[in-house]
Amino acid sequence: MLSVSCPSCGAPVAFRSHASVMAVCEYCRATVHKDAGAVRQLGKLSEVLEDYSPIQIGTAGKVGARSFTVIGRIQLRYAAGMWNEWYLMYEDGGSGWLGDFSGQFTVTAQRPLPDKFPPFEMARVGAQFDLGFGLAVVSDRREAQCVGGQGELPFDVGDGWSARVVDLRRGPSFATLDYSDGDKPLLYTGVAVTLESMGCQLLRDDEAIKASAGRYRGKVGALQCPSCGTAIAYLPGMADKLVCQACATRIDASTPQAEVLAAGERNDKVPLTLPLGAQAKIGNQDYHLIGAMKRTDDEGETWTEYLLYATRGTFFWLVEAGDQWWRSEVMDEWPEPGTPAVPHVSLHNIRYERTLDYEARVTWAAGAFNWKVAAGDRARVREFERGMASLAAENTQDELSWSRSTPVAADQVRAWFKLPAPPAAKGAGLSASLGELQWRFLLWILGLNAVPLIVNFGETMIWLLAALFALFIPPNIVKKD
C-alpha cells in the first residue's frame, strides 16, 4: 500500500491498489493523482449523496472463489435517476466494478472488445448484439454525469465527467459498453449478483443507513414542495424523484437544493386503498409504501401500482387491479431470448406464452420513486403467462426491463398492512338471516311430520330409520364383492 500526503491539506491518502491512479482525500475532497515518483492535485470532487445502499468503502465479499474489497466509488446521475459504481480490488491483484442501482447489483470486469461492436447511436433499446457470449439484448442506453466520488479510482474523474454507456443482458449475464473516451468503447462483462450470494461483510447497518441517508454538505433537511409548500415525506438518498401529492409538481431531491423539474396543477384527491406512508410487515422485513401511480391501457382498463421499500430488502410493486392483487419484482435474470418481440419466452426451461400486448400510460402519480415519473409517461408492455405466474417486458425509448408477478390474496394484503376486513356487501346479512329462517322452518316441518311416526312406532318407523341410515352412510364403507 502506498501512502502519500494530500497536496491540499496534508492529510494521509492511501493507495491500496497498484491499478489506482486517483484517490479522493476524505478530509478536503481534493482529487490526488498518482504519478511515477510524485503526486499532484487535480481539483476537488463533490461529496457523494449518501443513499440507502448498505455498501461502503471497506465492504468485503467473494465472487466465486475470488475475494474482494471495496476501495472506491463514483456516483453517476442521468435524466431518470442515479446509481453507484463501486471499485473493487481482488485479493489476487485484479480489479472490477460492482454496479448498484436500487437494490440490484452486477459485478463486471474489463474484457477484450470484439472486432464487431455497435456504435453508441445504433445501440437502440431491444436490439441484439453478440459480444462474445451469445446474443445479448440492449437493456438501456444513457448519458450520465459524475456527481460525486470516494476512495480510489483507476482513472481520473472530476465533477461533470460524462459517461456514455450501453447495458446489455442475456439471462443472468450482464455487459456494459462504455463510450466515455470516444467512439471505440471499453467492454465490461459479468453477472447479476446479490449481497447474500457474495457473502458481503462490513456492510452498513440499518441505524447507520438511516442516520446518513440523504446527507451531504448543504443538503436540505425537511423538504417542502417548492411550488405549494406542502411537506413531502420521502426516503432521502434512495427515492429522490418526487411528485407532490397536493399539486403534482415534480421535484428532484438528489441535489443539495431541491430542484423543480416541472410544475403541475392541483389534483383532486385520488382515492387509494393503501395510503402513502403506510407500513407493512412482510416476512421479517418492515416495508414502507413510498409511491403510488395509476395507469391505464389502450382499452381504458385502469389499475394502481404501489411502490414498497425496506432497508434490507429491495423495491417491489403491489399492483391492484379491481379486486385482484399482484406482487411484481424486477428480474435480475432475463428469460431467453430476452427480447419481447416474440410469441413466447423461456425461463429456467419453463415456457411462457405471450398473452397481452398494450401501451400503458401513467394518469396520476404521487410520492417518491427511484426514477423520474410523471403523468403522461408511456411504455409498451408485453405479458407472458404460465399458470399463475406472469412475466412482463416493459420498454420505453431508453430502457427495457423484465418483471415477474405472482398473485396475492386480498386477505394477505390486509394482513400485511393491518387493514380492517371489508364491510359485508349490502343485503348479505339479510340473505344469511333468511337462509337460517328457511332451515329452521324446514326442520320444524320435519319434526311435525315425525310426530305420528313416534306416537305409532312400528314397522314403518323401522324402515324410515333404515332409509335415513342408508342416505348418510359414507360411500367408502360400502365395498363391492
Side-chain angles (χ1 to χ4, degrees):
M1 180 175 71
L2 172 66
S3 182
V4 300
S5 296
C6 173
S8 177
C9 69
V13 177
F15 287 88
R16 286 171 285 185
S17 170
H18 71 276
S20 301
V21 300
M22 189 193 98
V24 181
C25 176
E26 61 180 298
Y27 297 97
C28 70
R29 310 300 305 163
T31 56
V32 181
H33 182 84
K34 180 178 66 176
D35 276 332
V39 295
R40 56 191 174 91
Q41 180 181 343
L42 297 177
K44 293 192 176 184
L45 187 59
S46 296
E47 292 182 276
V48 295
L49 171 66
E50 286 299 349
D51 52 27
Y52 268 72
S53 175
I55 302 172
Q56 61 182 340
I57 302 294
T59 291
K62 279 188 174 182
V63 178
R66 302 179 71 197
S67 298
F68 68 81
T69 302
V70 175
I71 63 172
R73 162 163 70 156
I74 56 174
Q75 199 167 64
L76 295 151
R77 179 182 179 187
Y78 68 112
M82 296 176 64
W83 84 95
N84 297 306
E85 292 286 349
W86 301 91
Y87 185 47
L88 308 180
M89 178 181 69
Y90 287 98
E91 194 175 42
D92 59 14
S95 60
W97 292 93
L98 173 59
D100 172 7
F101 176 73
S102 297
Q104 290 186 288
F105 304 96
T106 57
V107 169
T108 58
Q110 188 173 351
R111 306 290 186 224
L113 183 70
D115 293 335
K116 294 183 179 180
F117 59 87
F120 181 76
E121 293 74 15
M122 297 297 293
R124 302 187 182 277
V125 171
Q128 298 185 69
F129 301 98
D130 190 344
L131 298 175
F133 58 96
L135 282 176
V137 182
V138 176
S139 59
D140 63 71
R141 183 185 66 177
R142 63 184 66 162
E143 297 189 43
Q145 284 72 46
C146 175
V147 293
Q150 286 179 289
E152 301 172 50
L153 295 168
F155 47 77
D156 293 332
V157 60
D159 285 347
W161 175 78
S162 181
R164 296 191 307 159
V165 294
V166 172
D167 291 339
L168 303 95
R169 287 183 178 270
R170 176 185 171 87
S173 300
F174 181 86
T176 294
L177 289 170
D178 186 347
Y179 298 81
S180 303
D181 294 331
D183 294 334
K184 185 176 181 179
L186 298 176
L187 173 64
Y188 298 85
T189 64
V191 294
V193 293
T194 64
L195 299 182
E196 291 77 13
S197 69
M198 294 185 294
C200 287
Q201 300 177 354
L202 300 178
L203 296 168
R204 294 197 298 163
D205 59 29
D206 289 352
E207 293 305 316
I209 291 172
K210 292 176 182 177
S212 63
R215 293 186 180 178
Y216 51 24
R217 193 172 324 163
K219 173 68 182 175
V220 292
L223 182 64
Q224 291 184 324
C225 174
S227 180
C228 71
T230 298
I232 299 176
Y234 73 108
L235 289 174
M238 175 54 76
D240 293 309
K241 302 303 178 184
L242 314 178
V243 182
C244 175
Q245 63 268 30
C247 68
T249 294
R250 288 189 291 125
I251 305 158
D252 181 0
S254 65
T255 59
Q257 298 298 326
E259 298 175 357
V260 174
L261 296 176
E265 305 208 352
R266 187 170 297 275
N267 287 331
D268 294 331
K269 186 169 179 61
V270 175
L272 296 172
T273 303
L274 303 175
L276 289 171
Q279 297 185 28
K281 187 75 171 182
I282 304 176
N284 61 349
Q285 295 281 352
D286 292 318
Y287 278 86
H288 298 264
L289 196 162
I290 61 174
M293 64 178 176
K294 288 187 176 289
R295 304 175 83 184
T296 185
D297 64 14
D298 309 337
E299 299 180 354
E301 296 290 332
T302 62
W303 64 94
T304 307
E305 300 182 9
Y306 302 93
L307 182 60
L308 285 89
Y309 181 73
T311 55
R312 286 300 180 192
T314 57
F315 287 105
F316 80 86
W317 294 92
L318 270 180
V319 181
E320 179 186 17
D323 59 353
Q324 294 183 321
W325 291 86
W326 299 77
R327 175 171 177 160
S328 181
E329 298 179 270
V330 177
M331 298 168 61
D332 286 326
E333 182 175 351
W334 281 23
E336 299 287 350
T339 174
V342 290
H344 61 82
V345 296
S346 295
L347 180 67
H348 301 151
N349 295 321
I350 298 175
R351 177 165 163 156
Y352 293 75
E353 301 292 338
R354 192 171 73 190
T355 55
L356 295 172
D357 186 342
Y358 58 92
E359 182 182 70
R361 178 172 58 88
V362 178
T363 59
W364 175 88
F369 300 89
N370 54 329
W371 87 104
K372 187 169 65 176
V373 62
D377 288 351
R378 297 173 184 270
R380 181 76 173 275
V381 182
R382 296 178 177 88
E383 294 187 17
F384 302 78
E385 294 184 4
R386 172 67 180 263
M388 299 299 290
S390 173
L391 307 182
E394 185 167 331
N395 70 281
T396 64
Q397 182 177 351
D398 300 316
E399 186 174 5
L400 168 63
S401 64
W402 280 88
S403 60
R404 185 177 188 272
S405 300
T406 52
V408 180
D411 289 342
Q412 180 66 77
V413 175
R414 285 192 290 271
W416 284 344
F417 288 90
K418 297 182 179 179
L419 299 178
K426 186 176 181 181
L430 179 60
S431 298
S433 299
L434 288 174
E436 185 177 352
L437 287 174
Q438 289 171 346
W439 275 107
R440 288 183 178 180
F441 179 74
L442 180 59
L443 291 174
W444 183 80
I445 292 295
L446 290 173
L448 187 63
N449 281 276
V451 170
L453 296 174
I454 296 173
V455 174
N456 301 292
F457 188 87
E459 186 178 353
T460 303
M461 187 61 180
I462 294 173
W463 284 109
L464 176 62
L465 292 175
L468 289 174
F469 177 77
L471 285 174
F472 290 98
I473 189 172
N476 58 357
I477 293 180
V478 181
K479 297 183 179 178
K480 295 182 180 180
D481 292 335

